[in-house]
């Protein structure tokens, strides 16, 4: 477990200092914002869908290292994935952060995201880690179907 903790710290520091896909996206087809008032985190997620595939994903916002690092890792994990894959991963991350489920068993699905399980030692930070994911879910669930002309 201490290995995982070390990985957690490295990953958070790295992604906080150098967040990936950290920019607005002009041609996004979906966006959603998430707020975590407890900590003051604000994250906006941009997704460009092509059919059922997440062709591109980015985020911007401000907040603590954990919220930023988690969103950064999320964008890395989801680029090129299908919506179904993204929702599966959302569930896995949610289960991991909620502390139910065995991280070792989830390892294959989560890959490097398993490093985020270190946040479970700091329960108040769980919302920081899940913020970007909830924004993503909102973006994917948003109904942007054809607008009625009536
Ligand atoms: Zn936070």
């Amino acid at each position: 477990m201490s290995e995982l903790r070390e990985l957690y710290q490295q990953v958070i520091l790295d992604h906080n200092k150098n967040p990936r896909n950290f920019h607005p996206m002009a041609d996004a087809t979906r966006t959603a914002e998430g707020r975590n008032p407890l900590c003051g985190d604000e994250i906006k997620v941009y997704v460009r869908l092509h059919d059922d595939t997440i062709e591109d994903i980015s985020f911007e916002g401000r907040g603590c290292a954990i919220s930023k690092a988690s969103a950064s890792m999320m964008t890395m994990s989801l680029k090129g994935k299908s919506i179904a894959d993204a929702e599966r991963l959302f569930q896995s991350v949610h289960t991991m952060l909620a502390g139910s489920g065995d991280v070792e068993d989830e390892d294959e699905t989560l890959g490097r995201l398993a490093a985020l399980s270190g946040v479970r030692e700091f329960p108040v930070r769980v919302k920081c880690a899940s913020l970007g994911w909830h924004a993503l879910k909102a973006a994917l669930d948003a109904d942007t179907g054809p607008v009625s002309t009536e």
Side-chain angles (χ1 to χ4, degrees):
M1 201 60 190
S2 71
E3 208 173 290
L4 194 61
R5 188 186 299 176
E6 210 170 285
L7 179 64
Y8 166 73
Q9 282 168 350
Q10 281 173 8
V11 162
I12 300 287
L13 287 175
D14 172 39
H15 282 264
N16 180 49
K17 209 169 138 193
N18 182 23
R20 321 299 200 271
N21 307 301
F22 188 62
H23 55 80
M25 194 192 300
D27 58 351
T29 56
R30 304 278 179 94
T31 63
E33 280 175 76
R35 270 162 205 267
N36 175 21
L38 275 177
C39 182
D41 308 316
E42 294 178 11
I43 282 182
K44 184 169 184 182
V45 172
Y46 298 83
V47 180
R48 191 172 73 233
L49 290 176
H50 184 255
D51 296 329
D52 282 341
T53 302
I54 297 174
E55 206 170 55
D56 202 4
I57 175 168
S58 68
F59 78 106
E60 63 174 348
R62 57 201 169 91
C64 66
I66 293 168
S67 64
K68 221 158 140 188
S70 180
S72 172
M73 293 173 77
M74 176 184 79
T75 60
M76 285 182 75
S77 304
L78 293 182
K79 208 179 269 196
K81 293 273 163 57
S82 68
I83 292 177
D85 284 345
E87 286 183 345
R88 255 196 303 278
L89 201 54
F90 173 86
Q91 284 307 329
S92 295
V93 168
H94 202 290
T95 305
M96 172 182 76
L97 292 176
S100 49
D102 189 337
V103 179
E104 305 302 322
D105 288 347
E106 301 276 347
D107 239 31
E108 209 173 311
T109 330
L110 290 164
R112 65 192 143 207
L113 291 169
L116 285 174
S117 66
V119 82
R120 294 195 300 205
E121 288 183 42
F122 314 98
V124 291
R125 295 296 192 184
V126 167
K127 283 190 174 165
C128 304
S130 62
L131 181 62
W133 292 86
H134 283 288
L136 168 82
K137 185 88 165 64
L140 294 180
D141 288 348
D143 182 7
T144 53
V147 178
S148 167
T149 51
E150 284 179 338

